[in-house]
């Protein structure tokens, strides 16, 4: 009789272990599936945010260029008009921290707050080095960096 009780206890322990193992496997599978779904959602959200940011930057660049073009040469234009154009565009672009007008050599010509011919010289950045080397006509996005030029208001 004692052997039957021991055997029954062993059988219950094995059955209980099997149920716990099966439940652990199912839980692990659900956690992994949820993590993949979450990662896919984040990837889709990041892709959409990036797309919208690039569209906003394209629109901003075009409207600023179209607004400044009639003024003639930028370095001879009225600083208050250029600042007004940039400030106006800046207030309508919440995702853009600041808008700077930079010449082909990488010199800052204007920004929403100040109109200076040489606030800084970002010409040594990789984006401008590629531009000067003539390495194709394409959009080059540099890594994020804190600007020493200030934040547009």
């Amino acid at each position: 009789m004692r052997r039957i009780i021991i055997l029954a206890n062993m059988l219950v322990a094995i059955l209980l272990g099997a149920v716990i193992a099966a439940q652990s496997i199912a839980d692990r599978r659900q956690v992994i599936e949820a993590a993949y779904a979450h990662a896919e959602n984040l990837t889709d959200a990041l892709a959409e945010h990036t797309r919208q940011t690039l569209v906003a930057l394209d629109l901003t660049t075009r409207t600023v260029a179209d607004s400044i073009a009639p003024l003639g040469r930028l370095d001879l234009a009225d600083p208050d008009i250029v600042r007004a154009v940039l400030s106006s565009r800046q207030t309508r672009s919440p995702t853009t921290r600041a808008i700077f007008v930079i010449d082909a050599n990488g010199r800052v010509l204007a920004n929403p707050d100040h109109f200076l011919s040489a606030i800084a010289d970002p010409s040594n950045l990789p984006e401008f080095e590629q531009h000067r080397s003539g390495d194709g006509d394409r959009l080059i996005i540099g890594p994020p960096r804190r600007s020493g030029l200030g934040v547009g208001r």
Side-chain angles (χ1 to χ4, degrees), residues 25-98:
I25 291 171
D27 287 348
R28 183 175 187 270
R29 186 175 297 128
Q30 287 176 350
V31 166
I32 290 172
E33 287 173 5
Y36 275 118
H38 185 66
E40 286 176 2
N41 287 340
L42 288 176
T43 301
D44 291 344
L46 178 61
E48 180 61 21
H49 180 71
T50 301
R51 186 191 69 73
Q52 289 179 6
T53 299
L54 291 175
V55 166
L57 289 174
D58 181 49
L59 178 63
T60 298
T61 303
R62 287 177 190 225
T63 57
V64 167
D66 291 345
S67 300
I68 292 175
L71 301 176
R73 284 186 42 131
L74 183 60
D75 55 351
L76 299 176
D78 182 1
D80 293 327
I81 293 175
V82 175
R83 195 170 340 166
V85 168
L86 294 176
S87 295
S88 169
R89 193 60 221 150
Q90 179 72 45
T91 58
R92 289 182 273 156
S93 181
T95 58
T96 307
R97 302 269 309 170

Side-chain angles (χ1 to χ4, degrees), residues 3 5 11 14 21 42 54 56 67 69 79 81 93 129-130 145 148-149 151:
R3 284 186 168 210
I5 292 175
L11 185 60
I14 291 172
L42 288 176
L54 291 175
S67 300
I81 293 175
S93 181
E129 289 175 7
Q130 281 192 315
R145 64 179 64 84
L149 303 175
V151 178

